[in-house]
Amino acid sequence: MTRAVGAALAPQRVPPSSLARLARTRAAPEDLALLRRALHSRRLVLLKSLLTRLERQPDAVPARTRERFEAHWRLLERAEARHAPSVRDTLDYPSVGTWLARALAAPAGPALARELDHFGAVGAAAALRSGAGFTVELATPTGTLALPGIGLLETGRPLVRLTARSRTARLTGPGGRAAVLLRSAGRVAGAGRGWHGLRRLPGGDALLDDLDPYRAPPGGVGRAALPPAGRDGTGARRWTSRWRAALALLRATDPHRAAETTALLRCLVPVAGPPDDPGLKVSATFRAAPGAVLATLPPTAADLAEVLVHETQHSKLAVLHDLLPLHTAGPDALHKVAWRPDPRPLAGVLQGTYAHLALADFWGRAAHGPALPPAARREAAERRDSYRRQVAEAVPILLESIELTPAGREFAGGMERLLATLGRAGRLPSASGE
């Protein structure tokens, strides 16, 4: 981990060609690889920040908590030495980003100690996927153990021992064996009393995450502060069916954007809609956890396809802005936009403009392609025109802002050029987006 953190601290350059393609909302494979490297670098830097805090504040947590953290750090280092891609995939899982943000913000004392206990689950998940042999004790003060990207064990006990050997691992608590995990090619599946595994969505590597306690921020999702849905209220079959149809629509109408979505999306997190407004539609992506789409179940496959395109842009822009700052704006809400009733800060204008520009492009391709029947193409054209009007009103706000960095001005100019190629009648750019 020491070498990996050192590499993460080295500056990364965004080539002008990558910035231009990203501004036009259609990333090339090398651009996606750049974003993935940038995300991993940030995770390593945040982990280093957590370690540094413990070194500088030795009394921030009890000695036993600190000792466990150091032991789990060594486990992560052994896993990385055995199979670094497994560690990378685990650390980059969206819920790990949410946990890191909470751990870094936690005040010294019991709150920080509770967050540090989860680091053992992160290290164990990485080690399990790496194929390493190990034994580790994991604190489970809530009676559950959540392994990011794998699943959750309900034990009702404050401590679990995880012993991994060859292709299997055992999770045991006081009173006997609780569950058995099987390891193969970087994937882990389990069975036994209290074990619940994450379900993989068809057609890719994304997961339906209705288990991880860090899958959503503690304040909830959207202005209504909606909580994530629990497994009993997820409606997994409906999500799987809707996902399959949405992915088929994306692949039929815009294969490039479908590939981009499946490359960046790590999980869908179902959100519980309010009982008094079952038709409320909410979706979100959080800066600390790019690659996760949190949403209430969209009513149609077209609506879910739209959510996936929209939120993928938020993930891309969140990672890009961390790598290459696009603005220096504060949180003050100053700007009126077509898609929200409340004024937005410049960061919100940029995010919304980028997402809606991608939707205008996507629905334009759907309207002119042969994959949809005539009625669906007419609906796609209406969606395209609506999003294009929204973007046309917002782009001047960005271009006139003094809060954009030079890279941000270049990025906004690229968005303006894509908007011009779409045209009022929905004329399409080339398939490459150039």
Side-chain angles (χ1 to χ4, degrees):
M1 288 295 293
T2 302
R3 286 197 303 272
V5 171
L9 294 173
Q12 296 191 60
R13 192 178 71 89
V14 179
S17 57
S18 289
L19 187 64
R21 285 189 296 265
L22 288 167
R24 295 171 68 86
T25 80
R26 302 177 68 80
E30 58 266 35
D31 309 325
L32 299 179
L34 173 69
L35 294 178
R36 286 192 292 266
R37 290 195 303 272
L39 171 62
H40 187 62
S41 294
R42 179 163 178 80
R43 289 289 162 84
L44 293 178
V45 169
L46 293 177
L47 268 178
K48 176 63 174 177
S49 298
L50 190 57
L51 180 63
T52 300
R53 178 183 179 184
L54 295 178
E55 291 172 345
R56 292 177 178 176
Q57 300 176 345
D59 297 329
V61 294
R64 178 60 183 139
T65 300
R66 180 187 173 91
E67 290 168 2
R68 282 200 301 264
F69 181 87
E70 292 171 349
H72 298 152
W73 187 280
R74 292 192 294 271
L75 174 62
L76 199 60
E77 288 183 323
R78 293 197 299 273
E80 184 188 43
R82 180 177 177 85
H83 194 246
S86 295
V87 174
R88 174 188 293 266
D89 286 348
T90 301
L91 293 181
D92 295 352
Y93 191 70
S95 68
V96 177
T98 303
W99 163 73
L100 266 170
R102 288 172 57 174
L104 288 166
L112 179 57
R114 284 193 299 270
E115 299 298 344
L116 291 183
D117 280 337
H118 186 63
F119 181 59
V122 175
L128 281 169
R129 295 186 59 198
S130 75
F134 63 94
T135 297
V136 64
E137 287 191 345
L138 302 169
T140 53
T142 63
T144 61
L145 173 68
L147 298 171
I150 298 175
L152 180 142
L153 177 70
E154 295 177 326
T155 68
R157 306 286 185 173
L159 193 69
V160 171
R161 179 184 292 269
L162 173 55
T163 303
R165 297 287 183 268
S166 185
R167 296 172 63 87
T168 65
R170 294 178 184 273
L171 286 160
T172 59
R177 186 176 70 184
V180 175
L181 305 178
L182 303 178
R183 309 193 289 176
S184 176
R187 293 188 178 182
V188 181
R193 186 175 65 252
W195 175 256
H196 308 280
L198 290 177
R199 291 171 283 215
R200 195 168 298 276
L201 292 164
D205 294 325
L207 300 169
L208 185 67
D209 196 337
D210 49 9
L211 293 174
D212 197 306
Y214 291 93
R215 66 190 183 277
V221 180
R223 283 172 284 179
L226 299 176
R231 173 147 292 196
D232 292 342
T234 297
R237 288 185 179 179
R238 289 188 299 159
W239 270 104
T240 300
S241 174
R242 200 71 38 87
W243 161 267
R244 185 182 286 112
L247 190 58
L249 173 62
L250 281 171
R251 286 173 170 166
T253 57
D254 195 344
H256 182 109
R257 205 170 288 285
E260 176 184 275
T261 298
T262 54
L264 294 179
L265 183 67
R266 296 293 303 274
C267 64
L268 274 175
V269 177
V271 172
D276 58 342
D277 189 3
L280 180 66
K281 295 190 292 185
V282 172
S283 68
T285 297
F286 291 90
R287 182 179 177 184
V293 172
L294 297 86
T296 53
L297 181 66
T300 68
D303 290 323
L304 179 54
E306 181 167 293
V307 166
L308 295 176
V309 171
H310 183 279
E311 300 301 336
T312 296
Q313 309 317 304
H314 288 326
S315 283
K316 288 160 56 181
L317 199 53
V319 177
L320 178 62
H321 180 65
D322 282 337
L323 178 62
L324 180 68
L326 301 176
H327 63 82
T328 59
D332 292 336
L334 301 172
H335 307 287
K336 183 69 175 176
V337 292
W339 58 86
R340 288 280 294 260
D342 52 328
R344 305 297 293 150
L346 187 76
V349 177
L350 179 60
Q351 283 279 0
T353 304
Y354 190 57
H356 291 113
L357 180 61
L359 287 172
D361 175 73
F362 166 65
W363 286 122
R365 293 171 190 274
H368 287 267
L372 300 181
R377 289 203 297 272
R378 287 193 294 272
E379 180 183 353
E382 292 173 359
R383 295 197 190 205
R384 171 206 62 205
D385 292 343
S386 175
Y387 286 123
R388 189 193 179 283
R389 285 193 295 270
Q390 294 177 22
V391 173
E393 292 181 19
V395 164
I397 296 174
L398 298 173
L399 295 175
E400 294 167 8
S401 174
I402 62 172
E403 296 178 304
L404 292 181
T405 64
R409 286 194 292 274
E410 185 176 345
F411 191 83
M415 288 195 293
E416 182 187 37
R417 288 188 288 275
L418 173 58
L419 178 65
T421 66
L422 294 177
R424 293 190 180 277
R427 185 170 59 86
L428 298 176
S430 67
S432 67
E434 293 295 327

